[in-house]
């Protein structure tokens, strides 16, 4: 009897438990900031945007445009008015003109 081969593991075919754990209660530093945001994005793909948005809002990172971009992305389909508000906040915090143009284009596509 031939043994079945396991199919290759695809990047989107995983459980949340397999993704590196991040303690969201820890002090957020530049070393773990992007890791935390990435984990929240993974939560949105595995458990849904609503749960991920709740988890992201706990971080309360009011001085970072990437935080507001993530909140905007997670709010898509839930509350598009809120998406615009988050993107406007992200524009105010951006440091480069290129980022501002990117965000403005995203806002225009939502209107």
């Amino acid at each position: 009897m031939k043994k079945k081969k396991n199919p290759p593991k695809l990047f989107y075919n995983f459980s949340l438990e397999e993704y590196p754990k991040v303690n969201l209660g820890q002090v957020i530093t530049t070393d773990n900031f992007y890791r935390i945001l990435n984990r929240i994005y993974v939560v949105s793909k595995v458990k849904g945007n609503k749960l991920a948005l709740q988890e992201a809002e706990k971080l309360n990172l009011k001085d970072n445009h990437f935080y507001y971009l993530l909140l905007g992305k997670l709010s898509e389909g839930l509350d598009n008015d809120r998406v615009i508000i988050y993107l406007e906040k992200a524009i105010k915090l951006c440091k480069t003109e290129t980022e501002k143009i990117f965000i403005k284009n995203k806002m225009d596509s939502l209107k």
Side-chain angles (χ1 to χ4, degrees):
M1 189 169 179
K2 261 189 168 179
K3 200 173 188 180
K4 277 188 177 180
K5 271 188 169 182
N6 288 335
K9 200 166 205 176
L10 303 175
F11 72 93
Y12 58 85
N13 188 15
F14 60 88
S15 69
L16 191 57
E17 288 74 33
E18 293 173 355
Y19 195 77
K21 295 287 184 194
V22 176
N23 178 2
L24 294 178
Q26 69 190 358
V27 174
I28 298 172
T29 64
T30 51
D31 293 337
N32 64 9
F33 173 74
Y34 296 107
R35 190 171 163 207
I36 291 170
L37 293 184
N38 285 336
R39 175 161 166 61
I40 291 172
Y41 187 74
V42 169
V43 169
S44 76
K45 294 300 176 192
V46 176
K47 302 286 186 177
N49 283 3
K50 191 172 183 179
L51 178 67
L53 188 60
Q54 291 170 352
E55 194 169 336
E57 287 174 339
K58 291 177 191 174
L59 296 174
N60 203 23
L61 301 171
K62 295 185 184 280
D63 60 343
N64 189 288
H65 68 285
F66 291 117
Y67 173 67
Y68 285 110
L69 288 172
L70 178 64
L71 291 178
K73 180 69 177 167
L74 297 175
S75 297
E76 286 178 3
L78 299 174
D79 186 354
N80 285 337
D81 292 334
R82 201 170 180 102
V83 174
I84 299 294
I85 292 168
Y86 288 139
L87 294 179
E88 287 172 346
K89 288 180 181 181
I91 285 176
K92 290 178 185 175
L93 295 170
C94 281
K95 293 180 174 79
T96 68
E97 195 60 35
T98 306
E99 289 175 318
K100 289 178 183 182
I101 292 169
F102 171 79
I103 296 169
K104 285 178 186 174
N105 288 340
K106 178 70 175 168
M107 287 173 63
D108 291 342
S109 72
L110 293 171
K111 292 180 181 177

